[in-house]
Amino acid sequence: MTAQTILSSALWLALVVLGLSFLLTVWRVIKGPTLPDRVVALDMLVGIVIGFIALIAIRTGFTLYIDIAISLGLVGFLATVAFARFILARGRGEEAPEAKASPVAPAAPLAPKHKRATSRKPGAGPAVSRKAKK
Amino acid sequence: MIAVLIALLTALLILVGAGFALVAAIGINRLPDVYTRMHAASKAGTVGSGLMLLAVALHAGDLSTLARALAGFFFFVLTAPISAHLLAMAAHKMGYPLHEQSVRDDLNDHQN
């Protein structure tokens, strides 16, 4: 068994496994009930595509693909940060028919507290809200 | 002989990386809420792509390629927790609920 056959068979198997995980993650992007689910799945898709780029770099021998992978990782990181800011700015919007408030985390009192904490000193926020609740 | 050894190590890195990516994809489909899905995606997915970058460096056998692959690996390992933490904090502040079986929420002021 030469080195080339080992490498090519491992590449085929890894390409199949990566394609399967890509499809599973795309399924979560389509199905995901809330916006953060979709953002997490898109972040995961960037990681899988970086894996694809690495496999193609091994297959073709062009190591310049590593630079493309690094820049794709940078773009994916910035996209995730921008999506997080967008989730903070947008609020919960019109979605969440199945994301009902659970007994563990009451969803309603969290949002106004955050708005107050931005205009006040950070240490004063929870104490005041607790006193107002009593 | 040494070529076969390097090919075996590269194949092992590739297969383990693809396996981590598959585990992350299964976890992102099976886990119940946003926060646990984030835990699957940001840890196992990052390790998967990082191992494949290391496989490229090992296959090339070049010092500059090794340096670039290591830089990419450390970049991914550093930025994945930052983005996941930012996303989790944004989702929690906007009140996306935890799953019913969650036992503890350290960011929530109302229960402690």
Side-chain angles (χ1 to χ4, degrees):
Chain A
M1 210 170 171
T2 66
Q4 199 56 47
T5 56
I6 294 173
L7 205 55
S8 68
S9 54
L11 275 176
W12 269 111
L13 189 57
L15 278 176
V16 170
V17 171
L18 269 188
L20 189 62
S21 53
F22 191 89
L23 287 182
L24 281 175
T25 314
V26 165
W27 174 245
R28 175 52 73 190
V29 174
I30 294 171
K31 205 183 84 175
T34 62
L35 180 62
D37 286 314
R38 295 192 170 94
V39 177
V40 166
L42 284 176
D43 195 19
M44 173 78 200
L45 278 187
V46 170
I48 291 176
V49 168
I50 287 169
F52 269 122
I53 290 175
L55 289 190
I56 290 172
I58 293 177
R59 200 177 160 88
T60 61
F62 290 131
T63 57
L64 199 62
Y65 276 118
I66 289 187
D67 298 337
I68 302 176
I70 290 175
S71 49
L72 180 64
L74 179 63
V75 170
F77 169 63
L78 288 181
T80 311
V81 171
F83 264 119
R85 304 298 297 178
F86 172 64
I87 289 172
L88 268 183
R90 189 198 65 156
R92 293 197 55 184
E94 68 283 350
E95 67 184 359
E98 75 178 80
K100 294 186 288 277
S102 71
V104 177
L110 282 177
K113 194 188 69 185
H114 163 63
K115 268 180 206 149
R116 215 181 307 143
T118 54
S119 65
R120 195 183 290 266
K121 267 194 304 184
V128 170
S129 71
R130 235 179 249 143
K131 201 190 296 172
K133 212 182 149 199
K134 274 174 200 168
Chain B
M1 183 58 205
I2 198 74
V4 175
L5 195 63
I6 285 182
L8 272 179
L9 274 179
T10 309
L12 186 70
L13 279 180
I14 289 171
L15 289 180
V16 172
F20 267 107
L22 184 64
V23 165
I26 291 174
I28 218 173
N29 272 288
R30 294 281 299 160
L31 288 172
D33 63 348
V34 190
Y35 309 100
T36 47
R37 275 171 205 151
M38 195 173 302
H39 137 94
S42 70
K43 282 188 283 196
T46 308
V47 171
S49 54
L51 282 184
M52 282 187 237
L53 279 184
L54 287 187
V56 177
L58 187 64
H59 176 70
D62 190 5
L63 194 61
S64 68
T65 310
L66 179 67
R68 279 183 293 165
L70 277 182
F73 181 66
F74 281 115
F75 178 74
F76 297 145
V77 168
L78 282 183
T79 55
I82 297 173
S83 62
H85 180 259
L86 202 57
L87 201 56
M89 207 184 60
H92 191 275
K93 258 184 191 161
M94 282 304 115
Y96 287 99
L98 276 72
H99 192 238
E100 287 90 5
Q101 290 179 355
S102 306
V103 293
R104 177 170 180 150
D105 184 8
D106 277 336
L107 283 175
N108 195 359
D109 285 339
H110 297 277
Q111 66 179 3
N112 52 10

